[in-house]
Amino acid sequence: MSSVGRAGGAGRAGRVVRAVGAGLLVLGAAASPAVADSSPSASPSDDGAAPTSAGTSFRTATEVDQGQKATASASMGDYLYWSFPADAGQRPTVKATVKLPDAHASATWQVDVYDGLRRRQACQYGAQTRTAAQDAASVELSCTLRTVRAWSEPWADDPLPGTYYVRLTTVGLKAADLGLPVSAEVQVDSKDVGGAAAVDGSLAEPLVPGVAVAAEGGDSDEESEGSVAVLSSIEPDDGWASGWWSDRWVWTAVGGVLAALAGVGGYSLTRGRSVRPTP
């Protein structure tokens, strides 16, 4: 090959490399804010202070935002309930700390998490159950759930968007310790898993429990059964199904553009060099 041909090929290769590099820079700049925007807000709500009490059942569970630290004073033997919202693509972690009285026997504490259908959700990892020794001043528990999915098969037990309940209690409590005062702290944080957990499907409505109540002044049966009281009014800061956008869309577009650039570059490198006939 002549020096002119080699120079022309090197020039075409350089142009292809520059084009691919420019495309990657543009896509990287576009992907960075998109991925950042898909991250859920972990800051507590500005509407009110953190809760200072806990419910005693599912129906009376105290609502708490993600990122908020809820506290409660109770007695050994009580069942303490809190509720929080979790949306698709989030992996919630529940952390609980129980401060014990100066004199107490060894006791086992346990934190359980239930979804909106009151199905107990398994912990992916974390110390869900711990035994506090007699001289222990406190005990710390944690439970990291599986990633919340936007949709699942009816027979599956996957976490779905909606209200989740935290139950904190003692297991195998001795009679001498029954009624001793304790204080508890609970906080829920989530990690945004992103497009790796995205699925093709979504629920029509999040799993937020509600009960049918009679309408005031209703004469017919349809009117008396038409009102529903929502047991949990708390929801994510940017609304339900906020995870419809994920980085999977970005990287799918990146793959398509790279494939197009590779095709153009391959054609430029392999096509024959036209030679003008000498007059």
Side-chain angles (χ1 to χ4, degrees):
M1 182 183 294
S2 65
S3 60
V4 175
R6 289 194 296 269
R12 288 194 299 271
R15 288 194 297 271
V16 171
V17 172
R18 287 194 296 272
V20 172
L24 289 176
L25 288 176
V26 173
L27 288 173
S32 298
V35 174
D37 292 342
S38 64
S39 232
S41 174
S43 60
S45 176
D46 296 333
D47 296 337
T52 57
S53 62
T56 56
S57 66
F58 287 101
R59 294 175 61 88
T60 61
T62 299
E63 298 177 351
V64 59
D65 279 317
Q66 290 193 27
Q68 247 183 354
K69 180 177 289 186
T71 59
S73 298
S75 302
M76 282 193 176
D78 290 344
Y79 285 83
L80 306 180
Y81 288 82
W82 294 269
S83 65
F84 66 93
D87 209 352
Q90 295 182 346
R91 182 184 294 164
T93 297
V94 179
K95 294 182 179 180
T97 301
V98 182
K99 296 180 180 179
L100 305 172
D102 296 334
H104 63 85
S106 61
T108 301
W109 289 82
Q110 181 170 311
V111 59
D112 297 304
V113 183
Y114 298 82
D115 63 9
L117 299 178
R118 299 186 185 180
R119 302 177 302 180
R120 184 176 178 272
Q121 292 294 322
C123 298
Q124 193 173 25
Y125 53 85
Q128 182 183 8
T129 303
R130 272 187 172 174
T131 300
Q134 292 184 1
D135 56 347
S138 62
V139 58
E140 296 183 356
L141 307 168
S142 65
C143 174
T144 299
L145 300 178
R146 295 169 295 168
T147 303
V148 178
R149 296 165 57 90
W151 178 85
S152 179
E153 295 288 348
W155 47 263
D157 194 26
D158 297 322
L160 295 171
T163 301
Y164 283 77
Y165 295 93
V166 179
R167 186 180 71 181
L168 178 65
T169 188
T170 52
V171 180
L173 180 65
K174 296 182 179 179
D177 287 347
L178 187 63
L180 290 179
V182 295
S183 60
E185 296 179 355
V186 171
Q187 183 169 339
V188 182
D189 296 294
S190 287
K191 177 181 179 182
D192 186 5
V193 178
V199 295
D200 296 329
S202 62
L203 297 180
E205 296 288 342
L207 299 180
V208 178
V211 293
V213 296
E216 296 183 0
D219 296 332
S220 64
D221 293 339
E222 293 181 358
E223 292 180 351
S224 62
E225 295 178 0
S227 180
V228 175
V230 179
L231 296 182
S232 178
S233 60
I234 198 169
E235 63 180 32
D237 294 337
D238 46 0
W240 291 110
S242 57
W244 69 270
W245 171 266
S246 70
D247 53 5
R248 185 173 68 167
W249 296 93
V250 176
W251 295 116
T252 300
V254 169
V257 172
L258 288 179
L261 291 175
V264 173
Y267 174 75
S268 298
L269 292 174
T270 57
R271 68 175 181 174
R273 180 171 176 270
S274 61
V275 179
R276 292 184 178 180
T278 303

